[in-house]
């Protein structure tokens, strides 16, 4: 018997990430090739015509799994009964800006949307925030949802998967091992240049990747800056921020959360207090997913170098949290 459709809300549907994301959701790459989906598309009033154009193209793909579509500028309509929400809609940064510069411009969006999700979506909704600064926006949305009380605030995630995937690619190039052989990658902290991509636990066909690399200077001076500043390098090269790779990471995050992961995956999740991260801060941590639930990998050793890196990215998130405190009153 075929499955009942699930409802997937996507904000910023007329934007460049939306244009890469929607077709892959509708083709079954996110939730499985047997899972029909209804797309509920939110964008601003002035973008509704462009959303209609994207919907025409979705129709023209004749995706067998696409069971319906709604376009709206009203969050209450977009999130109605949603099972999954991908919060992409926000202003992207331009050259010379840091993601934290978007905090005030974009933060307000997520108080409204966090509340609208909590009031309208399925109680078990899974939410992924892509719009930057995504950790703190997820924190804002989760805090707004907590006030309403229907949904689980731990299900409001920020997207660190792009950093995770970037780190895997850089390590594959350095070690000459295929990406598919690399397991147990972790990216701690904020989706910003302070993130700490940590391959101390990483293996390739059972070999330690740390031993294969064996180059602390490369780790510190090449690898971490390359992964951390990749978003800016793409803006510099393309004149626009990453879109297809961001959409791909969103598909990966939701796919693994919904259908299970076969490896550690980095997710920006509200901290449970482990690793010295204050509870509630949305922090990149290693997770495993099973039966639609995620679990933070516990008990990893944090050495002095790693503690310093983790504290730096945590400090930035604490500053962001303080900057939005008024918004959450
Ligand atoms: N977390 C991550 O790894 C990444 C995050 N991003 C972020 O994703 C966001 C979107 O990027 P793009 O698609 O390139 O931007 P874009 O400018 O192409 O599209 C954004 C869309 O969001 C819409 N929008 C703005 N405010 C909205 C609101 N309140 N409700 C609904 N829709 C709204 C706009 O009308 C536009 O259609 C940016 O904040 C960007 O910085 C981008 C790449 C990676
Ligand atoms: O850098 C940006 O502004 C877009 C983004 O988050 C990324 O590419 O990682």
């Amino acid at each position: 018997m075929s499955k009942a459709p699930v409802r997937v809300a996507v904000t910023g549907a007329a934007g460049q990430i939306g244009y890469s994301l929607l077709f892959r959701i509708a083709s079954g790459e996110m939730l499985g090739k047997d899972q029909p989906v209804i797309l509920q598309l939110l964008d601003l009033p002035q973008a509704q015509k462009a959303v209609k154009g994207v919907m025409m193209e979705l129709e023209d793909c004749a995706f067998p799994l696409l069971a319906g579509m709604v376009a709206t500028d009203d969050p209450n309509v977009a999130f109605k009964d949603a099972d999954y929400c991908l919060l992409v809609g926000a202003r992207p940064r331009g050259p010379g800006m840091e993601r934290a510069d978007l905090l005030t411009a974009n933060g307000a969006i997520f108080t409204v949307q966090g509340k609208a999700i909590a009031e309208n979506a399925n109680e078990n909704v899974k939410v992924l925030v892509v719009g930057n600064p995504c950790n703190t926006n997820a924190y804002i949305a989760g805090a707004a949802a907590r006030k309403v009380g229907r949904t689980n605030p731990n299900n409001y995630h920020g997207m660190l998967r792009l950093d995770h995937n970037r780190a895997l690619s850089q390590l594959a190039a350095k070690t000459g091992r295929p990406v598919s052989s690399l397991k147990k990658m972790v990216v701690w902290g904020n989706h910003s240049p302070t993130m700490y991509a940590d391959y101390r636990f990483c293996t390739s066909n059972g070999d330690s990747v740390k031993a294969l690399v064996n180059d602390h200077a490369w780790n510190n001076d090449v690898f971490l800056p390359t992964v951390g500043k990749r978003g800016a390098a793409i803006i510099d090269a393309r004149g626009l921020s990453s879109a297809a790779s961001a959409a791909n990471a969103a598909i990966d995050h939701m796919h693994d959360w919904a259908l299970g992961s076969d490896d550690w995956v980095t997710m920006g999740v509200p901290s449970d207090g482990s690793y010295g991260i204050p509870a509630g801060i949305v922090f990149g941590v290693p997770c495993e997913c099973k039966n639609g639930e995620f679990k933070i990998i516990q008990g990893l050793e944090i050495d002095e170098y790693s503690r310093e890196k983790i504290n730096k990215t945590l400090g930035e998130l604490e500053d962001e949290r303080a900057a939005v405190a008024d918004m959450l009153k």
Side-chain angles (χ1 to χ4, degrees):
M1 208 178 78
S2 62
K3 289 184 172 177
V6 294
R7 294 179 180 272
V8 182
V10 179
T11 75
Q16 43 151 11
I17 295 176
Y19 197 66
S20 287
L21 185 59
L22 294 171
F23 297 85
R24 296 186 60 187
I25 298 173
S27 74
E29 285 179 67
M30 187 169 92
L31 297 172
K33 296 283 181 186
D34 60 347
Q35 178 59 67
V37 292
I38 297 171
L39 291 175
Q40 307 191 157
L41 307 178
L42 180 72
D43 210 305
L44 299 173
Q46 60 270 29
Q48 290 302 306
K49 186 174 173 205
V51 175
K52 296 277 169 4
V54 176
M55 289 167 78
M56 286 158 70
E57 285 206 65
L58 282 158
E59 277 170 14
D60 294 348
C61 294
F63 288 120
L65 292 171
L66 186 55
M69 283 188 278
V70 178
T72 180
D73 59 9
D74 179 349
N76 295 313
V77 174
F79 299 131
K80 186 81 193 136
D81 299 326
D83 301 288
Y84 302 88
C85 297
L86 292 101
L87 307 188
V88 179
R91 188 179 145 196
R93 68 173 166 154
M97 291 169 80
E98 277 307 331
R99 296 181 190 107
D101 295 336
L102 299 170
L103 204 50
T104 346
N106 288 341
I109 296 174
F110 294 89
T111 46
V112 173
Q113 295 187 357
K115 179 168 181 281
I117 291 170
E119 286 173 347
N120 293 285
N122 181 326
E123 286 182 24
N124 298 316
V125 66
K126 292 176 167 55
V127 181
L128 177 65
V129 177
V130 175
N132 279 317
C134 63
N135 294 56
T136 297
N137 288 338
Y139 170 79
I140 293 170
R146 191 174 272 113
K147 283 192 194 159
V148 178
R150 273 180 76 245
T151 56
N152 179 357
N154 288 329
N155 281 353
Y156 288 68
H157 291 183
M159 190 169 90
L160 268 288
R161 187 61 174 265
L162 183 52
D163 310 81
H164 180 103
N165 289 344
R166 286 169 173 164
L168 287 177
S169 265
Q170 296 299 321
L171 279 175
K174 174 73 174 170
T175 58
R177 299 288 180 101
V179 165
S180 59
S181 76
L182 301 173
K183 305 289 173 204
K184 299 191 172 168
M185 182 67 214
V186 187
V187 181
W188 304 95
N190 198 5
H191 174 62
S192 91
T194 66
M195 60 87 233
Y196 172 42
D198 178 5
Y199 56 80
R200 290 175 304 135
F201 310 102
C202 199
T203 58
S204 165
N205 300 327
D207 300 326
S208 155
V209 167
K210 186 169 180 227
L212 288 172
V213 172
N214 192 25
D215 187 344
H216 180 72
W218 177 81
N219 176 48
N220 200 64
D221 305 336
V222 179
F223 174 68
L224 291 177
T226 300
V227 177
K229 295 182 190 157
R230 188 69 162 184
I234 286 164
I235 291 171
D236 184 46
R238 248 170 53 84
L240 289 167
S241 71
S242 333
S245 57
N248 179 67
I251 295 276
D252 284 351
H253 183 120
M254 282 305 208
H255 172 276
D256 291 350
W257 192 1
L259 301 178
S261 60
D262 52 9
D263 180 20
W264 295 4
V265 286
T266 301
M267 299 172 116
V269 305
S271 173
D272 61 359
S274 52
Y275 300 109
I277 312 304
I281 288 209
V282 174
F283 205 81
V285 285
C287 292
E288 270 174 333
C289 305
K290 210 174 164 183
N291 301 328
E293 307 283 339
F294 71 94
K295 208 174 76 195
I296 301 173
I297 306 284
Q298 300 288 340
L300 299 175
E301 191 217 324
I302 306 297
D303 60 20
E304 206 178 311
Y305 177 84
S306 303
R307 177 50 62 195
E308 198 182 298
K309 295 283 181 201
I310 287 173
N311 283 349
K312 184 163 185 223
T313 193
L314 172 60
E316 185 178 49
L317 281 168
E318 287 179 318
D319 289 348
E320 290 183 19
R321 183 177 61 172
V324 300
D326 278 350
M327 252 183 234
L328 302 178
K329 280 186 183 148

